[in-house]
Amino acid sequence: MAKVIEGLYYSESHEYVKVEGDFGYVGITDYAQHALGNVVYVDMPDVDDEVEAGEDFGAVESVKAASDLISPVSGTVVEVNEALEDEPELLNKDAFANWIIKVELSDKSELDSLMDAAAYETHCENE
C-alpha cells in the first residue's frame, strides 16, 4: 500500500497540497510515483505563473509514461522545487518530502472539494 500522510489534501488525479498559512505546497503522491515508475523529468511552471484548480501546470515523465500535473488549487506560483530539475528521481525517493510548486492560494474554499487522507486511501483502493 502506498504511503498516505494525514493532514494533507488530496485530488483524484493523485496530487497533494500541504497548506501552511496562505500557501500550498503541491506535489504528487506516493501512489502516483509508484504508478509512474522511475521519474526522469519534471516540467514545472515559472514563478509568478497562475495555476487554476483542475487545470494542468506541468508534467512528470517517467521511463514508462508522461503524466500531466493537475493543480488541486488556484493561485500564483511563488516557488518551484529547483532540486527536481537536476534530480527528478527525488520524487521516487520521497514524493511527500519533494513538493513540486509552492502556490499562494487565491481561494482556500477550494480545499473543501479535496479529499482527506482516509478518503484518498479509499480512492486508491478503488482504482
Side-chain angles (χ1 to χ4, degrees), residues 35-101:
L36 280 164
N38 293 333
V39 175
V40 295
Y41 179 71
V42 184
D43 180 30
M44 296 178 279
D46 295 320
V47 171
D48 293 332
D49 280 1
E50 298 289 324
V51 293
E52 290 289 328
E55 295 189 7
D56 61 353
F57 67 87
V60 174
E61 293 179 21
S62 72
V63 291
K64 289 197 281 191
S67 180
D68 285 339
L69 294 165
I70 311 296
S71 185
V73 291
S74 300
T76 305
V77 177
V78 293
E79 195 176 340
V80 298
N81 187 348
E82 292 178 358
L84 296 175
E85 292 174 4
D86 297 324
E87 289 185 88
E89 65 275 10
L90 288 170
L91 293 179
N92 295 121
K93 288 181 183 153
D94 190 339
F96 290 114
N98 293 286
W99 49 271
I100 298 172
I101 58 172

Side-chain angles (χ1 to χ4, degrees), residues 25-39:
Y25 293 85
V26 178
I28 62 169
T29 65
D30 193 48
Y31 181 95
Q33 73 83 13
H34 275 292
L36 280 164
N38 293 333
V39 175

